[in-house]
Amino acid sequence: MVDLHVHSTASDGSDTPTQLVVKGSMAGLSLMALTDHDNTQGIDEFMAACREHHLRGVAGVELSADVSEGTLHIVGLGIDCSNRRLSEALSVMMDRRADRNARLFARFRQIGIDLSTEEVAAFAGADLISRVHFAQALVKRRIVGSVQEAFERYLSKDKAAYVARDRFAVRDCFEMIREAGGLPIIAHPHTWEVDLPSKIRQLKEWGLAGIEAYYFTYSAGQICDYLRLAYRFDLLTSCGSDYHGSGKPIVHLGEQMIPASVETTLMTALGHCPGKSESW
Ligand code: AMP
Ligand code: MN
Ligand code: MN
Ligand code: MN
């Protein structure tokens, strides 16, 4: 079984990279990618754990692209984390995220909720502080009953404390991942509210390699539509749970089934990328 879209404590997941590998291998995964938002700080630990547990590990990242129609996230699989352009861009994005967070604290103060950096950072496992960690702090204070409610009342777009953050230009997402030797994949393609077929040619010129045709929410009908699109445009089809641990409790590792031929194709494609575990 394959899972090429998973979050750890290096972004907004609740499991450490090692815990992910232990849970993933117990759940029957044989191929797994760590794809934290905007950073690769968990990758070294993840790869070491993959070696220990005899799992094929893939170095990945999830980038947020700047689009006006819904949400476009690009997962980069098999990346060389030491690539200069990518690592510098990620570090700039982390700085901008910190600026956004400062504005988020100020916005909360304006609406009478005085959160301290420490109480929010307490929920973060590493350097990245996400809206999810603000949500968890609000739950702890009993201002809301759940993370979901925190988003619905305060943190989602157009809600009381929403502050937008910078995102990468669409073209840069594809080019940066390619330059780092990785495969750019459109994550949860349904969230980008555009006519996808009409965009694919351009995206392929920029480096698009595939689409996440198997996503944890997808019905058989949706999967079929994305498989057809991938076939038509000669794209890879990837499989991701978008597991976040306790932050998204309905998602579990190892529950998605894909045909063996899809797994083999992914393994072959990723075998040419620099970001894979030694135990490939
Ligand atoms: P940020 O990157 O700091 O803007 O935070 C975005 C993260 O919040 C996403 O990656 C999701 O994991 C999470 N998220 C977004 N909307 C919701 C929601 N309605 N409920 C729970 N988590 C959410
Ligand atoms: Mn997330
Ligand atoms: Mn995403
Ligand atoms: Mn994700």
Side-chain angles (χ1 to χ4, degrees), residues 7 11-12 37 62 130 132 242 244:
H7 296 273
S11 64
D12 53 356
H37 299 284
E62 183 174 15
S130 155
V132 173
D242 211 357
H244 281 69

Side-chain angles (χ1 to χ4, degrees), residues 11-46:
S11 64
D12 53 356
S14 64
D15 290 308
T16 65
T18 303
Q19 286 167 337
L20 286 176
V21 173
V22 171
K23 287 185 183 178
S25 64
M26 283 195 327
L29 294 183
S30 52
L31 178 62
M32 189 181 194
L34 180 63
T35 56
D36 277 309
H37 299 284
D38 298 347
N39 86 93
T40 57
Q41 288 173 359
I43 297 292
D44 284 349
E45 181 188 328
F46 176 73

Side-chain angles (χ1 to χ4, degrees), residues 12 37 97 100 130-132 147-148 151 156 165 244:
D12 53 356
H37 299 284
R97 177 184 278 279
R100 188 281 308 259
S130 155
R131 276 183 288 163
V132 173
V147 165
Q148 188 56 36
F151 273 91
S156 289
R165 70 180 180 87
H244 281 69

Side-chain angles (χ1 to χ4, degrees), residues 138-163:
L138 294 175
V139 173
K140 182 152 189 225
R141 283 263 203 109
R142 297 178 187 270
I143 293 167
V144 291
S146 67
V147 165
Q148 188 56 36
E149 191 190 337
F151 273 91
E152 278 161 20
R153 282 178 54 191
Y154 297 104
L155 290 161
S156 289
K157 201 168 179 194
D158 303 325
K159 300 301 158 125
Y162 179 73
V163 180

Side-chain angles (χ1 to χ4, degrees), residues 47-106:
M47 289 302 195
C50 284
R51 198 178 315 125
E52 193 177 326
H53 294 270
H54 310 291
L55 203 85
R56 284 192 185 86
V58 175
V61 69
E62 183 174 15
L63 306 179
S64 301
D66 192 14
V67 294
S68 47
E69 316 87 351
T71 298
L72 172 59
H73 288 177
I74 315 290
V75 161
L77 299 176
I79 50 169
D80 167 8
C81 299
S82 67
N83 175 268
R84 192 147 158 206
R85 178 172 172 194
L86 181 64
S87 55
E88 284 181 2
L90 293 181
S91 125
V92 168
M93 194 51 77
M94 289 288 278
D95 290 344
R96 293 191 185 162
R97 177 184 278 279
D99 294 343
R100 188 281 308 259
N101 289 346
R103 282 181 284 143
L104 200 42
F105 280 112

